[in-house]
Amino acid sequence: AQTVTQSQPEMSVQEAETVTLSCTYDTSESDYYLFWYKQPPSRQMILVIRQEAYKQQNATENRFSVNFQKAAKSFSLKISDSQLGDAAMYFCAYRSARGKLIFGQGTELSVKP
Amino acid sequence: DTEVTQTPKHLVMGMTNKKSLKCEQHMGHRAMYWYKQKAKKPPELMFVYSYEKLSINESVPSRFSPECPNSSLLNLHLHALQPEDSALYLCASSQGPGAQYTEAFFGQGTRLTVV
């Protein structure tokens, strides 16, 4: 069975600084997708970034980028120039080509002004 | 319109009540999902509708009954719930059921309290 592990329950970053959230996963599949979701206090889950396993190039979306290490089964999220609005719960998620979305336990990020 | 709209935002119901949660999207998405989320926990998948047909039921108790009247609308009918069913219920949609589309859009959820 596939599992997703986020080892940092809480993280804190100073405004304008950079922070990296960790995620590891376990799978025997070769075709899968990885995602980071953000859930602010407003409760709405927002898809931040996605990575296809077959792509070697790391995905980026504005201030958000990932470090995808397929052999190590690692998928970390880097947030550059952190803003107060980045404060949220961040979930790493995995989905195989035929499976359902599997979430990690989440990392609560706080941003200090 | 890139929104998934859920109503109501909050709901308090007794264990003998019958109520319904509603989810609507007008993006032409053909897959819609219900998730249950407890505080400080990740969402748990309940149901998936693909092209208006129930494709996944994650062994959810029968007191939860999903319905997809059309491609834009998804309901979750609630009956004889238990206090442990109190949670945030999230609806999501994606362009299609394939993994490449994923649950791209979520609603803001309905906060359900069972008393």
Side-chain angles (χ1 to χ4, degrees):
Chain A
Q2 297 90 4
T3 58
V4 178
T5 302
Q6 293 178 249
S7 58
Q8 306 150 315
E10 298 176 351
M11 291 280 286
S12 180
V13 64
Q14 204 73 31
E15 196 176 5
E17 298 289 303
T18 296
V19 64
T20 298
L21 308 184
S22 301
C23 173
T24 58
Y25 60 96
D26 190 25
T27 184
S28 57
E29 311 235 358
S30 58
D31 186 13
Y32 56 88
Y33 301 79
L34 296 163
F35 311 94
W36 279 98
Y37 284 88
K38 166 186 176 181
Q39 188 175 34
S42 66
R43 310 179 321 203
Q44 186 171 19
M45 295 280 285
I46 300 166
L47 179 60
V48 174
I49 200 163
R50 77 175 70 202
Q51 176 80 44
E52 291 88 346
Y54 64 85
K55 288 187 178 178
Q56 294 197 345
Q57 187 172 4
N58 290 324
T60 63
E61 286 288 342
N62 301 313
R63 297 182 296 107
F64 298 87
S65 61
V66 298
N67 183 3
F68 174 46
Q69 301 288 327
K70 191 172 183 178
K73 295 180 183 173
S74 170
F75 183 61
S76 60
L77 176 70
K78 185 172 82 170
I79 307 174
S80 304
D81 185 25
S82 297
Q83 301 175 0
L84 295 177
D86 294 333
M89 182 74 88
Y90 285 82
F91 292 101
C92 178
Y94 164 100
R95 188 169 180 177
S96 67
R98 291 180 174 273
K100 66 179 184 180
L101 203 56
I102 298 170
F103 289 95
Q105 290 301 304
T107 296
E108 188 160 18
L109 177 68
S110 59
V111 180
K112 297 179 180 177
Chain B
D1 183 3
T2 57
E3 278 193 340
V4 174
T5 303
Q6 287 188 247
T7 54
K9 289 194 171 19
H10 302 272
L11 178 62
V12 179
M13 61 184 289
M15 289 188 283
T16 58
N17 291 161
K18 285 185 182 181
K19 296 285 184 183
S20 296
L21 309 185
K22 179 180 171 181
C23 173
E24 203 162 2
Q25 57 86 14
H26 296 287
M27 295 177 279
H29 286 179
R30 304 315 301 270
M32 296 183 75
Y33 311 77
W34 280 115
Y35 281 85
K36 173 183 177 180
Q37 187 179 26
K38 291 282 200 178
K40 301 287 188 182
K41 295 291 186 183
E44 300 171 20
L45 183 64
M46 300 175 72
F47 302 104
V48 180
Y49 272 83
S50 175
Y51 294 92
E52 298 153 57
K53 294 192 186 309
L54 183 64
S55 60
I56 294 177
N57 177 341
E58 289 287 308
S59 302
V60 178
S62 59
R63 57 186 184 268
F64 295 91
S65 175
E67 178 196 21
C68 188
N70 59 58
S71 60
S72 300
L73 188 56
L74 186 65
N75 297 320
L76 186 62
H77 302 299
L78 315 172
H79 173 55
L81 294 193
Q82 303 297 310
E84 59 264 29
D85 296 321
S86 298
L88 180 67
Y89 288 83
L90 292 164
C91 176
S93 73
S94 63
Q95 195 172 339
Q100 68 271 30
Y101 301 116
T102 197
E103 286 81 316
F105 294 90
F106 278 81
Q108 284 194 301
T110 294
R111 176 78 64 194
L112 174 67
T113 303
V114 182
V115 296

